[in-house]
Amino acid sequence: MTSHGVPRVSSLDTGTEALRKKELVKIKEYQELVDLINTKITERQYTAEVLALISRLLTHNPEYYTIWNHRRLILKHQFSAPLEASNSTPASDIPIESPKNSSQHENTLELLISDLQFLVPLLRKFPKCYWIWNHRLWLLQQSNVLLPASEARRLWEQELGLVGKMLSMDSRNFHGWGYRRTVISHLESPILDPRIFGEAGSNGKSMVEQEFAYTTKMIETNLSNFSAWHNRSKLIPRLLDEREADDTARRKFLDDELSLIQRALYTDPYDQSLWFYHQNLICTFSPSPSLTTQTMAPNLPLPLKLTYLSKEITNIQDMLDGAEDCKWIYKALIECTMLFWLIRRQEGQEGGIREMEEETRRNLRDWVTQLRALDPLRRGRWDDLELTLRDEFSVGNED
């Protein structure tokens, strides 16, 4: 399913002369197939035969995006003239009592389902191929236009089940996560609400609670799932808005998220994805109104922000025990400490100047020194950070 840590070996480099000749024959056959398809498309032969040829080609090379365009041309032609395009169906097999629009509808549904099924083995073999995901999305979008809302919605719901299975096989596939968000947005759309077309049902409602629970499930399965953490961060603002959460509920939610990420960080402080989510939560305590209005608790008073940050700094320092070589801990300590003192400075403008203690300056110097030692390839970045600390908080090298 995935290719993490698995080296790719070329058969041409390691095979015998017989294998090399066999590969050359395959290349020749492949090129002949490409030429044949292009010729037939140029001649506007939008038939089931050409569709089958395209299927053969895509089975070997789904990255050929032009061929996907050819496939869509043929399908659009068959959608608009289904009875003429279905040469394999004898006229005697079409029920006389079925009106033409009913036959067209059934044929369109069959074409869509058939093409969606064709793509499933390709997704298993090439789960990170953009063009396969794009084509599936195009097929489902066609269902919105060509099918009744109830049937189109059924296809989208089946698609959500499929992408769930794909993510269970490779939970960190960011293609799959992005595609899942797209599927959810369509399922939430009023276009797929059968009530608009006078049919019974209560669909088209928000799925944010369901998706938030799904991110929790995926995170519990694999803490190092950056895509799940990212999706969670995007869902939270909308989740709280839809719950009409007041400041107390928002603070409780923030406490729960901080507790969750702290448990995860104690489990594996070396996991970069966890620190990115932690950083996202820490933005809640920024003194900048333009930033905090977009967070889960935008109305926290400054003294409460200081209390949160002080607790975070203490918790992060505790993580150093046994993980002294983890650069993410030092980086988070510097960021939280800088944020803490920026708020203290803002408080000072309202009630008096508060200077940073010498012990804190010494800690910041030591943390930057550790970052240089642990990550020398980014020495320039740490030099810039030291200059920022010197300019903002008079933190410099000890004499």
Side-chain angles (χ1 to χ4, degrees), residues 334-377:
I334 293 173
E335 291 171 350
C336 288
T337 302
M338 290 176 66
L339 197 54
F340 179 91
W341 283 96
L342 284 173
I343 295 174
R344 289 286 293 268
R345 178 180 295 172
Q346 187 168 331
E347 270 198 322
Q349 294 173 357
E350 300 171 0
I353 300 299
R354 296 190 173 126
E355 295 294 337
M356 179 182 287
E357 295 92 343
E358 180 54 37
E359 180 183 358
T360 303
R361 289 194 179 95
R362 185 166 56 253
N363 286 338
L364 287 170
R365 284 194 295 267
D366 291 344
W367 296 336
V368 173
T369 300
Q370 290 292 338
L371 285 174
R372 282 201 189 93
L374 293 170
D375 191 3
L377 291 178

Side-chain angles (χ1 to χ4, degrees), residues 233 236-237 250 280 283-284 288-298:
S233 70
I236 287 175
R250 287 173 176 271
N280 177 268
C283 289
T284 306
S288 171
S290 61
L291 183 59
T292 54
T293 53
Q294 305 172 38
T295 64
M296 67 181 71

Side-chain angles (χ1 to χ4, degrees), residues 205-311:
K205 61 183 180 181
S206 171
M207 300 176 67
V208 68
E209 294 279 357
Q210 172 186 323
E211 284 304 289
F212 184 76
Y214 181 76
T215 65
T216 303
K217 171 188 171 184
M218 299 302 284
I219 287 167
E220 289 174 348
T221 303
N222 180 6
L223 286 175
S224 187
N225 192 332
F226 178 85
S227 295
W229 290 109
H230 171 75
N231 207 40
R232 189 179 188 86
S233 70
K234 295 299 181 184
L235 290 168
I236 287 175
R238 183 179 157 202
L239 177 72
L240 292 172
D241 287 343
E242 292 187 7
R243 289 181 179 178
E244 298 181 349
D246 58 15
D247 288 343
T248 302
R250 287 173 176 271
R251 181 180 169 186
K252 173 63 168 58
F253 196 96
L254 174 62
D255 290 341
D256 291 342
E257 289 302 295
L258 286 170
S259 177
L260 172 65
I261 196 63
Q262 285 291 344
R263 292 196 303 271
L265 287 170
Y266 273 107
T267 301
D268 185 5
Y270 297 89
D271 192 326
Q272 181 179 2
S273 62
L274 303 181
W275 288 108
F276 280 177
Y277 189 72
H278 180 267
Q279 187 180 52
N280 177 268
L281 295 179
I282 295 301
C283 289
T284 306
F285 311 126
S286 171
S288 171
S290 61
L291 183 59
T292 54
T293 53
Q294 305 172 38
T295 64
M296 67 181 71
N299 298 323
L300 286 177
L302 292 180
L304 191 53
K305 290 183 178 182
L306 289 174
T307 301
Y308 271 107
L309 284 169
S310 179
K311 182 179 178 181

